[in-house]
Amino acid sequence: MYQVLIPVDDDESRALNQAEYAASLPDSGSDVEATVLYVVSPRRLDTAEEVDFEEIDSAVAAAEHLEDSGVSVDRRVGDGGVSEEILRVADELDCDELVMGGRKRSGVAQVLLGSTVRDVFVSTERPVTITGSGMVFEGGSREVLLPVDRNLERARRQVEYATALPNAAENVTATVLYVFPHQDYRGAPPHEFEDVEAAVETADSLEAEGLSVERVSIGGEVARKVLEAAEEREVDSIVMGGRKRSGVQKTLLGSIAQDVMLSADRPVTLTG
């Protein structure tokens, strides 16, 4: 089974977006198990034992939406440091994906990432998907965009995520995109997909697992071209490999991945 962890806060709209995304995963009714987790804030005097899941409207709404969609749901309440508890439960479940809720900035269509979301995705090597308000999720087959850079390890993590989706060979089609940075001027050199080892390996690996793959290479400002490609192809999600390690083994979010996550009007998954 594909294990999804959905940590929710008190915002019911955000929790429902997270649940809708999980319910839209391929074959979710038969192949997905979801855990809806509410972590009692350290600012409250209550412990997990003193808080009833059914009293948390946002958590109940998420769980009921998933169950109405045929997804098996485990309801949990935790306490302690919020990010730490999310990470602990993710490890306990050995979950395949964490689904976190983004925040919309008032007046503009940008997802504003909260501190808990950021703490989680810089502290785990598991795929983390960020959803946002106003996104539309369609179930069934899934079209994903994989923008790659020249880092082979990041590209391999993107492949691992896409191929691990439920019944990926039957349900997932992929576009592998490489953007030659800033090369959209007149007289720019040819944009040859086959010249980028990480892009070729990504496409070959996906095809070897039975996925249908489109290979695309263009030039320009990377984040903008990624967003344009996602919109033009009406993909269901963008799968980024934007995490990298510093010299002290702290995970950092690359600027391009951050720009895409903050601006995309569809879910963005960060794989590593």
Side-chain angles (χ1 to χ4, degrees), residues 201-240:
E201 180 176 308
T202 299
D204 287 349
S205 297
L206 291 167
E207 289 173 341
E209 294 293 331
L211 277 67
S212 175
V213 178
E214 179 185 8
R215 305 175 183 223
V216 179
S217 58
I218 53 178
E221 194 277 315
V222 179
R224 179 170 59 85
K225 291 296 184 181
V226 169
L227 295 167
E228 288 176 358
E231 183 173 356
E232 289 169 2
R233 288 165 175 76
E234 298 182 336
V235 300
D236 296 293
S237 64
I238 303 171
V239 181
M240 303 290 295

PDB file of all heavy atoms in Angstrom, residues 201-240:
ATOM      1  N   GLU A 201      18.992  10.146 -18.477  1.00  0.00           N
ATOM      2  CA  GLU A 201      18.851   9.031 -17.532  1.00  0.00           C
ATOM      3  C   GLU A 201      17.458   9.023 -16.905  1.00  0.00           C
ATOM      4  O   GLU A 201      16.869   7.960 -16.716  1.00  0.00           O
ATOM      5  CB  GLU A 201      19.915   9.114 -16.437  1.00  0.00           C
ATOM      6  CG  GLU A 201      19.801   7.968 -15.439  1.00  0.00           C
ATOM      7  CD  GLU A 201      20.885   7.948 -14.382  1.00  0.00           C
ATOM      8  OE1 GLU A 201      22.072   7.992 -14.750  1.00  0.00           O
ATOM      9  OE2 GLU A 201      20.538   7.867 -13.186  1.00  0.00           O
ATOM     10  N   THR A 202      16.945  10.193 -16.580  1.00  0.00           N
ATOM     11  CA  THR A 202      15.610  10.284 -15.996  1.00  0.00           C
ATOM     12  C   THR A 202      14.564   9.720 -16.954  1.00  0.00           C
ATOM     13  O   THR A 202      13.739   8.874 -16.578  1.00  0.00           O
ATOM     14  CB  THR A 202      15.264  11.744 -15.657  1.00  0.00           C
ATOM     15  OG1 THR A 202      16.203  12.228 -14.697  1.00  0.00           O
ATOM     16  CG2 THR A 202      13.855  11.863 -15.109  1.00  0.00           C
ATOM     17  N   ALA A 203      14.585  10.183 -18.189  1.00  0.00           N
ATOM     18  CA  ALA A 203      13.613   9.711 -19.174  1.00  0.00           C
ATOM     19  C   ALA A 203      13.764   8.214 -19.429  1.00  0.00           C
ATOM     20  O   ALA A 203      12.764   7.474 -19.481  1.00  0.00           O
ATOM     21  CB  ALA A 203      13.778  10.491 -20.474  1.00  0.00           C
ATOM     22  N   ASP A 204      14.995   7.752 -19.579  1.00  0.00           N
ATOM     23  CA  ASP A 204      15.224   6.323 -19.825  1.00  0.00           C
ATOM     24  C   ASP A 204      14.730   5.471 -18.659  1.00  0.00           C
ATOM     25  O   ASP A 204      14.119   4.410 -18.857  1.00  0.00           O
ATOM     26  CB  ASP A 204      16.719   6.061 -20.052  1.00  0.00           C
ATOM     27  CG  ASP A 204      17.214   6.563 -21.403  1.00  0.00           C
ATOM     28  OD1 ASP A 204      16.378   6.924 -22.253  1.00  0.00           O
ATOM     29  OD2 ASP A 204      18.447   6.593 -21.600  1.00  0.00           O
ATOM     30  N   SER A 205      14.990   5.931 -17.432  1.00  0.00           N
ATOM     31  CA  SER A 205      14.593   5.164 -16.249  1.00  0.00           C
ATOM     32  C   SER A 205      13.076   5.090 -16.129  1.00  0.00           C
ATOM     33  O   SER A 205      12.515   4.046 -15.777  1.00  0.00           O
ATOM     34  CB  SER A 205      15.191   5.794 -14.989  1.00  0.00           C
ATOM     35  OG  SER A 205      16.605   5.759 -15.026  1.00  0.00           O
ATOM     36  N   LEU A 206      12.399   6.189 -16.403  1.00  0.00           N
ATOM     37  CA  LEU A 206      10.942   6.186 -16.357  1.00  0.00           C
ATOM     38  C   LEU A 206      10.358   5.245 -17.410  1.00  0.00           C
ATOM     39  O   LEU A 206       9.433   4.474 -17.135  1.00  0.00           O
ATOM     40  CB  LEU A 206      10.414   7.607 -16.565  1.00  0.00           C
ATOM     41  CG  LEU A 206      10.690   8.608 -15.434  1.00  0.00           C
ATOM     42  CD1 LEU A 206      10.391  10.023 -15.907  1.00  0.00           C
ATOM     43  CD2 LEU A 206       9.869   8.286 -14.197  1.00  0.00           C
ATOM     44  N   GLU A 207      10.906   5.305 -18.608  1.00  0.00           N
ATOM     45  CA  GLU A 207      10.423   4.430 -19.677  1.00  0.00           C
ATOM     46  C   GLU A 207      10.699   2.968 -19.351  1.00  0.00           C
ATOM     47  O   GLU A 207       9.877   2.091 -19.661  1.00  0.00           O
ATOM     48  CB  GLU A 207      11.074   4.823 -20.995  1.00  0.00           C
ATOM     49  CG  GLU A 207      10.544   6.153 -21.534  1.00  0.00           C
ATOM     50  CD  GLU A 207      11.285   6.655 -22.758  1.00  0.00           C
ATOM     51  OE1 GLU A 207      12.431   6.198 -23.009  1.00  0.00           O
ATOM     52  OE2 GLU A 207      10.724   7.509 -23.465  1.00  0.00           O
ATOM     53  N   ALA A 208      11.815   2.699 -18.699  1.00  0.00           N
ATOM     54  CA  ALA A 208      12.137   1.325 -18.324  1.00  0.00           C
ATOM     55  C   ALA A 208      11.126   0.764 -17.326  1.00  0.00           C
ATOM     56  O   ALA A 208      10.913  -0.457 -17.256  1.00  0.00           O
ATOM     57  CB  ALA A 208      13.539   1.257 -17.732  1.00  0.00           C
ATOM     58  N   GLU A 209      10.476   1.646 -16.569  1.00  0.00           N
ATOM     59  CA  GLU A 209       9.460   1.233 -15.603  1.00  0.00           C
ATOM     60  C   GLU A 209       8.060   1.239 -16.217  1.00  0.00           C
ATOM     61  O   GLU A 209       7.066   1.020 -15.524  1.00  0.00           O
ATOM     62  CB  GLU A 209       9.489   2.146 -14.382  1.00  0.00           C
ATOM     63  CG  GLU A 209      10.758   2.036 -13.554  1.00  0.00           C
ATOM     64  CD  GLU A 209      10.893   0.690 -12.866  1.00  0.00           C
ATOM     65  OE1 GLU A 209       9.848   0.065 -12.559  1.00  0.00           O
ATOM     66  OE2 GLU A 209      12.031   0.241 -12.652  1.00  0.00           O
ATOM     67  N   GLY A 210       7.988   1.500 -17.519  1.00  0.00           N
ATOM     68  CA  GLY A 210       6.716   1.418 -18.218  1.00  0.00           C
ATOM     69  C   GLY A 210       5.931   2.706 -18.328  1.00  0.00           C
ATOM     70  O   GLY A 210       4.800   2.704 -18.824  1.00  0.00           O
ATOM     71  N   LEU A 211       6.520   3.835 -17.901  1.00  0.00           N
ATOM     72  CA  LEU A 211       5.817   5.107 -17.990  1.00  0.00           C
ATOM     73  C   LEU A 211       5.976   5.710 -19.380  1.00  0.00           C
ATOM     74  O   LEU A 211       7.021   5.556 -20.023  1.00  0.00           O
ATOM     75  CB  LEU A 211       6.353   6.108 -16.957  1.00  0.00           C
ATOM     76  CG  LEU A 211       5.793   6.009 -15.534  1.00  0.00           C
ATOM     77  CD1 LEU A 211       6.230   4.713 -14.855  1.00  0.00           C
ATOM     78  CD2 LEU A 211       6.229   7.208 -14.710  1.00  0.00           C
ATOM     79  N   SER A 212       4.952   6.394 -19.844  1.00  0.00           N
ATOM     80  CA  SER A 212       5.030   7.160 -21.079  1.00  0.00           C
ATOM     81  C   SER A 212       5.722   8.480 -20.779  1.00  0.00           C
ATOM     82  O   SER A 212       5.351   9.177 -19.832  1.00  0.00           O
ATOM     83  CB  SER A 212       3.623   7.401 -21.631  1.00  0.00           C
ATOM     84  OG  SER A 212       3.672   8.230 -22.767  1.00  0.00           O
ATOM     85  N   VAL A 213       6.714   8.836 -21.599  1.00  0.00           N
ATOM     86  CA  VAL A 213       7.558   9.994 -21.290  1.00  0.00           C
ATOM     87  C   VAL A 213       7.684  10.915 -22.499  1.00  0.00           C
ATOM     88  O   VAL A 213       7.915  10.463 -23.626  1.00  0.00           O
ATOM     89  CB  VAL A 213       8.971   9.554 -20.847  1.00  0.00           C
ATOM     90  CG1 VAL A 213       9.860  10.766 -20.564  1.00  0.00           C
ATOM     91  CG2 VAL A 213       8.897   8.658 -19.611  1.00  0.00           C
ATOM     92  N   GLU A 214       7.542  12.213 -22.241  1.00  0.00           N
ATOM     93  CA  GLU A 214       7.861  13.243 -23.228  1.00  0.00           C
ATOM     94  C   GLU A 214       9.158  13.911 -22.794  1.00  0.00           C
ATOM     95  O   GLU A 214       9.327  14.249 -21.626  1.00  0.00           O
ATOM     96  CB  GLU A 214       6.748  14.283 -23.320  1.00  0.00           C
ATOM     97  CG  GLU A 214       7.049  15.397 -24.329  1.00  0.00           C
ATOM     98  CD  GLU A 214       5.996  16.492 -24.343  1.00  0.00           C
ATOM     99  OE1 GLU A 214       5.106  16.486 -23.473  1.00  0.00           O
ATOM    100  OE2 GLU A 214       6.087  17.375 -25.224  1.00  0.00           O
ATOM    101  N   ARG A 215      10.070  14.106 -23.741  1.00  0.00           N
ATOM    102  CA  ARG A 215      11.360  14.732 -23.459  1.00  0.00           C
ATOM    103  C   ARG A 215      11.344  16.147 -24.031  1.00  0.00           C
ATOM    104  O   ARG A 215      11.112  16.334 -25.224  1.00  0.00           O
ATOM    105  CB  ARG A 215      12.505  13.928 -24.070  1.00  0.00           C
ATOM    106  CG  ARG A 215      12.511  12.466 -23.620  1.00  0.00           C
ATOM    107  CD  ARG A 215      13.570  11.651 -24.329  1.00  0.00           C
ATOM    108  NE  ARG A 215      13.507  10.239 -23.945  1.00  0.00           N
ATOM    109  CZ  ARG A 215      14.558   9.485 -23.666  1.00  0.00           C
ATOM    110  NH1 ARG A 215      15.781   9.988 -23.768  1.00  0.00           N
ATOM    111  NH2 ARG A 215      14.412   8.222 -23.300  1.00  0.00           N
ATOM    112  N   VAL A 216      11.622  17.141 -23.169  1.00  0.00           N
ATOM    113  CA  VAL A 216      11.541  18.538 -23.585  1.00  0.00           C
ATOM    114  C   VAL A 216      12.770  19.284 -23.101  1.00  0.00           C
ATOM    115  O   VAL A 216      13.175  19.164 -21.938  1.00  0.00           O
ATOM    116  CB  VAL A 216      10.282  19.231 -23.016  1.00  0.00           C
ATOM    117  CG1 VAL A 216      10.237  20.696 -23.433  1.00  0.00           C
ATOM    118  CG2 VAL A 216       9.023  18.497 -23.469  1.00  0.00           C
ATOM    119  N   SER A 217      13.368  20.073 -23.985  1.00  0.00           N
ATOM    120  CA  SER A 217      14.464  20.970 -23.596  1.00  0.00           C
ATOM    121  C   SER A 217      14.212  22.334 -24.220  1.00  0.00           C
ATOM    122  O   SER A 217      13.861  22.441 -25.393  1.00  0.00           O
ATOM    123  CB  SER A 217      15.820  20.414 -24.053  1.00  0.00           C
ATOM    124  OG  SER A 217      15.850  20.218 -25.455  1.00  0.00           O
ATOM    125  N   ILE A 218      14.342  23.365 -23.394  1.00  0.00           N
ATOM    126  CA  ILE A 218      14.125  24.736 -23.825  1.00  0.00           C
ATOM    127  C   ILE A 218      15.143  25.620 -23.127  1.00  0.00           C
ATOM    128  O   ILE A 218      15.877  25.174 -22.243  1.00  0.00           O
ATOM    129  CB  ILE A 218      12.695  25.224 -23.488  1.00  0.00           C
ATOM    130  CG1 ILE A 218      12.400  24.990 -22.000  1.00  0.00           C
ATOM    131  CG2 ILE A 218      11.661  24.541 -24.358  1.00  0.00           C
ATOM    132  CD1 ILE A 218      11.039  25.473 -21.563  1.00  0.00           C
ATOM    133  N   GLY A 219      15.203  26.875 -23.538  1.00  0.00           N
ATOM    134  CA  GLY A 219      16.092  27.823 -22.887  1.00  0.00           C
ATOM    135  C   GLY A 219      15.316  28.943 -22.243  1.00  0.00           C
ATOM    136  O   GLY A 219      14.210  29.277 -22.680  1.00  0.00           O
ATOM    137  N   GLY A 220      15.885  29.532 -21.197  1.00  0.00           N
ATOM    138  CA  GLY A 220      15.229  30.665 -20.559  1.00  0.00           C
ATOM    139  C   GLY A 220      15.458  30.705 -19.068  1.00  0.00           C
ATOM    140  O   GLY A 220      16.308  29.988 -18.530  1.00  0.00           O
ATOM    141  N   GLU A 221      14.700  31.561 -18.390  1.00  0.00           N
ATOM    142  CA  GLU A 221      14.773  31.648 -16.932  1.00  0.00           C
ATOM    143  C   GLU A 221      14.095  30.414 -16.373  1.00  0.00           C
ATOM    144  O   GLU A 221      12.942  30.130 -16.675  1.00  0.00           O
ATOM    145  CB  GLU A 221      14.077  32.931 -16.473  1.00  0.00           C
ATOM    146  CG  GLU A 221      14.361  33.308 -15.028  1.00  0.00           C
ATOM    147  CD  GLU A 221      13.466  32.549 -14.078  1.00  0.00           C
ATOM    148  OE1 GLU A 221      12.261  32.461 -14.348  1.00  0.00           O
ATOM    149  OE2 GLU A 221      13.996  32.019 -13.081  1.00  0.00           O
ATOM    150  N   VAL A 222      14.807  29.661 -15.542  1.00  0.00           N
ATOM    151  CA  VAL A 222      14.402  28.285 -15.243  1.00  0.00           C
ATOM    152  C   VAL A 222      13.041  28.204 -14.566  1.00  0.00           C
ATOM    153  O   VAL A 222      12.148  27.490 -15.030  1.00  0.00           O
ATOM    154  CB  VAL A 222      15.485  27.577 -14.391  1.00  0.00           C
ATOM    155  CG1 VAL A 222      15.034  26.152 -14.064  1.00  0.00           C
ATOM    156  CG2 VAL A 222      16.815  27.554 -15.141  1.00  0.00           C
ATOM    157  N   ALA A 223      12.851  28.905 -13.457  1.00  0.00           N
ATOM    158  CA  ALA A 223      11.582  28.786 -12.724  1.00  0.00           C
ATOM    159  C   ALA A 223      10.403  29.199 -13.603  1.00  0.00           C
ATOM    160  O   ALA A 223       9.352  28.541 -13.609  1.00  0.00           O
ATOM    161  CB  ALA A 223      11.631  29.628 -11.455  1.00  0.00           C
ATOM    162  N   ARG A 224      10.567  30.266 -14.351  1.00  0.00           N
ATOM    163  CA  ARG A 224       9.476  30.740 -15.202  1.00  0.00           C
ATOM    164  C   ARG A 224       9.129  29.702 -16.264  1.00  0.00           C
ATOM    165  O   ARG A 224       7.947  29.438 -16.541  1.00  0.00           O
ATOM    166  CB  ARG A 224       9.857  32.070 -15.861  1.00  0.00           C
ATOM    167  CG  ARG A 224       8.781  32.629 -16.790  1.00  0.00           C
ATOM    168  CD  ARG A 224       9.113  34.047 -17.219  1.00  0.00           C
ATOM    169  NE  ARG A 224      10.397  34.124 -17.905  1.00  0.00           N
ATOM    170  CZ  ARG A 224      10.560  33.895 -19.209  1.00  0.00           C
ATOM    171  NH1 ARG A 224       9.519  33.552 -19.956  1.00  0.00           N
ATOM    172  NH2 ARG A 224      11.740  33.999 -19.772  1.00  0.00           N
ATOM    173  N   LYS A 225      10.138  29.087 -16.877  1.00  0.00           N
ATOM    174  CA  LYS A 225       9.884  28.084 -17.905  1.00  0.00           C
ATOM    175  C   LYS A 225       9.233  26.827 -17.325  1.00  0.00           C
ATOM    176  O   LYS A 225       8.406  26.177 -17.973  1.00  0.00           O
ATOM    177  CB  LYS A 225      11.183  27.730 -18.625  1.00  0.00           C
ATOM    178  CG  LYS A 225      11.737  28.851 -19.494  1.00  0.00           C
ATOM    179  CD  LYS A 225      10.783  29.186 -20.635  1.00  0.00           C
ATOM    180  CE  LYS A 225      11.359  30.230 -21.580  1.00  0.00           C
ATOM    181  NZ  LYS A 225      10.413  30.571 -22.670  1.00  0.00           N
ATOM    182  N   VAL A 226       9.613  26.472 -16.102  1.00  0.00           N
ATOM    183  CA  VAL A 226       8.985  25.325 -15.448  1.00  0.00           C
ATOM    184  C   VAL A 226       7.498  25.598 -15.238  1.00  0.00           C
ATOM    185  O   VAL A 226       6.641  24.761 -15.547  1.00  0.00           O
ATOM    186  CB  VAL A 226       9.673  25.028 -14.099  1.00  0.00           C
ATOM    187  CG1 VAL A 226       8.849  24.015 -13.286  1.00  0.00           C
ATOM    188  CG2 VAL A 226      11.083  24.501 -14.322  1.00  0.00           C
ATOM    189  N   LEU A 227       7.187  26.771 -14.738  1.00  0.00           N
ATOM    190  CA  LEU A 227       5.787  27.131 -14.492  1.00  0.00           C
ATOM    191  C   LEU A 227       4.988  27.196 -15.795  1.00  0.00           C
ATOM    192  O   LEU A 227       3.833  26.757 -15.855  1.00  0.00           O
ATOM    193  CB  LEU A 227       5.712  28.456 -13.750  1.00  0.00           C
ATOM    194  CG  LEU A 227       6.299  28.428 -12.330  1.00  0.00           C
ATOM    195  CD1 LEU A 227       6.475  29.848 -11.796  1.00  0.00           C
ATOM    196  CD2 LEU A 227       5.426  27.612 -11.394  1.00  0.00           C
ATOM    197  N   GLU A 228       5.599  27.746 -16.844  1.00  0.00           N
ATOM    198  CA  GLU A 228       4.919  27.815 -18.140  1.00  0.00           C
ATOM    199  C   GLU A 228       4.661  26.419 -18.690  1.00  0.00           C
ATOM    200  O   GLU A 228       3.582  26.147 -19.231  1.00  0.00           O
ATOM    201  CB  GLU A 228       5.767  28.630 -19.126  1.00  0.00           C
ATOM    202  CG  GLU A 228       5.784  30.123 -18.838  1.00  0.00           C
ATOM    203  CD  GLU A 228       6.706  30.883 -19.781  1.00  0.00           C
ATOM    204  OE1 GLU A 228       7.360  30.232 -20.637  1.00  0.00           O
ATOM    205  OE2 GLU A 228       6.774  32.121 -19.677  1.00  0.00           O
ATOM    206  N   ALA A 229       5.646  25.538 -18.571  1.00  0.00           N
ATOM    207  CA  ALA A 229       5.473  24.170 -19.076  1.00  0.00           C
ATOM    208  C   ALA A 229       4.371  23.449 -18.319  1.00  0.00           C
ATOM    209  O   ALA A 229       3.573  22.711 -18.904  1.00  0.00           O
ATOM    210  CB  ALA A 229       6.788  23.398 -18.957  1.00  0.00           C
ATOM    211  N   ALA A 230       4.292  23.665 -17.004  1.00  0.00           N
ATOM    212  CA  ALA A 230       3.244  23.033 -16.200  1.00  0.00           C
ATOM    213  C   ALA A 230       1.869  23.510 -16.632  1.00  0.00           C
ATOM    214  O   ALA A 230       0.921  22.717 -16.738  1.00  0.00           O
ATOM    215  CB  ALA A 230       3.474  23.337 -14.726  1.00  0.00           C
ATOM    216  N   GLU A 231       1.763  24.796 -16.906  1.00  0.00           N
ATOM    217  CA  GLU A 231       0.471  25.350 -17.311  1.00  0.00           C
ATOM    218  C   GLU A 231       0.088  24.902 -18.713  1.00  0.00           C
ATOM    219  O   GLU A 231      -1.063  24.518 -18.963  1.00  0.00           O
ATOM    220  CB  GLU A 231       0.518  26.873 -17.236  1.00  0.00           C
ATOM    221  CG  GLU A 231      -0.808  27.539 -17.559  1.00  0.00           C
ATOM    222  CD  GLU A 231      -0.787  29.037 -17.319  1.00  0.00           C
ATOM    223  OE1 GLU A 231       0.235  29.559 -16.823  1.00  0.00           O
ATOM    224  OE2 GLU A 231      -1.803  29.681 -17.642  1.00  0.00           O
ATOM    225  N   GLU A 232       1.043  24.934 -19.640  1.00  0.00           N
ATOM    226  CA  GLU A 232       0.751  24.544 -21.014  1.00  0.00           C
ATOM    227  C   GLU A 232       0.285  23.094 -21.105  1.00  0.00           C
ATOM    228  O   GLU A 232      -0.614  22.764 -21.889  1.00  0.00           O
ATOM    229  CB  GLU A 232       2.001  24.740 -21.881  1.00  0.00           C
ATOM    230  CG  GLU A 232       2.353  26.203 -22.136  1.00  0.00           C
ATOM    231  CD  GLU A 232       3.729  26.346 -22.759  1.00  0.00           C
ATOM    232  OE1 GLU A 232       4.388  25.306 -23.023  1.00  0.00           O
ATOM    233  OE2 GLU A 232       4.158  27.493 -22.984  1.00  0.00           O
ATOM    234  N   ARG A 233       0.884  22.236 -20.309  1.00  0.00           N
ATOM    235  CA  ARG A 233       0.552  20.808 -20.366  1.00  0.00           C
ATOM    236  C   ARG A 233      -0.555  20.424 -19.385  1.00  0.00           C
ATOM    237  O   ARG A 233      -0.978  19.282 -19.367  1.00  0.00           O
ATOM    238  CB  ARG A 233       1.817  19.980 -20.094  1.00  0.00           C
ATOM    239  CG  ARG A 233       2.790  20.042 -21.256  1.00  0.00           C
ATOM    240  CD  ARG A 233       4.176  19.542 -20.887  1.00  0.00           C
ATOM    241  NE  ARG A 233       5.009  19.511 -22.080  1.00  0.00           N
ATOM    242  CZ  ARG A 233       5.543  20.594 -22.644  1.00  0.00           C
ATOM    243  NH1 ARG A 233       5.331  21.794 -22.104  1.00  0.00           N
ATOM    244  NH2 ARG A 233       6.284  20.495 -23.730  1.00  0.00           N
ATOM    245  N   GLU A 234      -0.979  21.388 -18.582  1.00  0.00           N
ATOM    246  CA  GLU A 234      -2.022  21.152 -17.581  1.00  0.00           C
ATOM    247  C   GLU A 234      -1.690  19.929 -16.731  1.00  0.00           C
ATOM    248  O   GLU A 234      -2.542  19.049 -16.496  1.00  0.00           O
ATOM    249  CB  GLU A 234      -3.392  20.995 -18.249  1.00  0.00           C
ATOM    250  CG  GLU A 234      -3.835  22.238 -19.000  1.00  0.00           C
ATOM    251  CD  GLU A 234      -5.212  22.100 -19.628  1.00  0.00           C
ATOM    252  OE1 GLU A 234      -5.635  20.945 -19.880  1.00  0.00           O
ATOM    253  OE2 GLU A 234      -5.864  23.122 -19.848  1.00  0.00           O
ATOM    254  N   VAL A 235      -0.450  19.874 -16.249  1.00  0.00           N
ATOM    255  CA  VAL A 235      -0.023  18.721 -15.463  1.00  0.00           C
ATOM    256  C   VAL A 235      -0.720  18.731 -14.105  1.00  0.00           C
ATOM    257  O   VAL A 235      -1.163  19.764 -13.611  1.00  0.00           O
ATOM    258  CB  VAL A 235       1.508  18.697 -15.276  1.00  0.00           C
ATOM    259  CG1 VAL A 235       2.209  18.630 -16.625  1.00  0.00           C
ATOM    260  CG2 VAL A 235       2.006  19.897 -14.467  1.00  0.00           C
ATOM    261  N   ASP A 236      -0.807  17.552 -13.508  1.00  0.00           N
ATOM    262  CA  ASP A 236      -1.432  17.430 -12.192  1.00  0.00           C
ATOM    263  C   ASP A 236      -0.502  17.856 -11.075  1.00  0.00           C
ATOM    264  O   ASP A 236      -0.975  18.298 -10.019  1.00  0.00           O
ATOM    265  CB  ASP A 236      -1.884  15.982 -11.974  1.00  0.00           C
ATOM    266  CG  ASP A 236      -2.954  15.574 -12.967  1.00  0.00           C
ATOM    267  OD1 ASP A 236      -4.071  16.126 -12.894  1.00  0.00           O
ATOM    268  OD2 ASP A 236      -2.675  14.718 -13.824  1.00  0.00           O
ATOM    269  N   SER A 237       0.800  17.716 -11.282  1.00  0.00           N
ATOM    270  CA  SER A 237       1.743  18.126 -10.249  1.00  0.00           C
ATOM    271  C   SER A 237       3.132  18.308 -10.853  1.00  0.00           C
ATOM    272  O   SER A 237       3.434  17.811 -11.943  1.00  0.00           O
ATOM    273  CB  SER A 237       1.793  17.100  -9.109  1.00  0.00           C
ATOM    274  OG  SER A 237       2.275  15.851  -9.577  1.00  0.00           O
ATOM    275  N   ILE A 238       3.952  19.034 -10.106  1.00  0.00           N
ATOM    276  CA  ILE A 238       5.346  19.273 -10.486  1.00  0.00           C
ATOM    277  C   ILE A 238       6.223  18.548  -9.471  1.00  0.00           C
ATOM    278  O   ILE A 238       6.026  18.698  -8.257  1.00  0.00           O
ATOM    279  CB  ILE A 238       5.676  20.774 -10.483  1.00  0.00           C
ATOM    280  CG1 ILE A 238       4.729  21.539 -11.405  1.00  0.00           C
ATOM    281  CG2 ILE A 238       7.127  21.010 -10.901  1.00  0.00           C
ATOM    282  CD1 ILE A 238       4.846  23.053 -11.293  1.00  0.00           C
ATOM    283  N   VAL A 239       7.155  17.760  -9.955  1.00  0.00           N
ATOM    284  CA  VAL A 239       8.021  16.970  -9.080  1.00  0.00           C
ATOM    285  C   VAL A 239       9.436  17.532  -9.164  1.00  0.00           C
ATOM    286  O   VAL A 239      10.132  17.357 -10.167  1.00  0.00           O
ATOM    287  CB  VAL A 239       8.001  15.478  -9.479  1.00  0.00           C
ATOM    288  CG1 VAL A 239       8.892  14.667  -8.546  1.00  0.00           C
ATOM    289  CG2 VAL A 239       6.574  14.947  -9.478  1.00  0.00           C
ATOM    290  N   MET A 240       9.842  18.226  -8.100  1.00  0.00           N
ATOM    291  CA  MET A 240      11.134  18.900  -8.072  1.00  0.00           C
ATOM    292  C   MET A 240      12.150  18.085  -7.268  1.00  0.00           C
ATOM    293  O   MET A 240      11.799  17.394  -6.316  1.00  0.00           O
ATOM    294  CB  MET A 240      11.011  20.285  -7.429  1.00  0.00           C
ATOM    295  CG  MET A 240      10.013  21.220  -8.076  1.00  0.00           C
ATOM    296  SD  MET A 240      10.537  21.806  -9.699  1.00  0.00           S
ATOM    297  CE  MET A 240      12.000  22.777  -9.273  1.00  0.00           C
TER     298      MET A 240
END
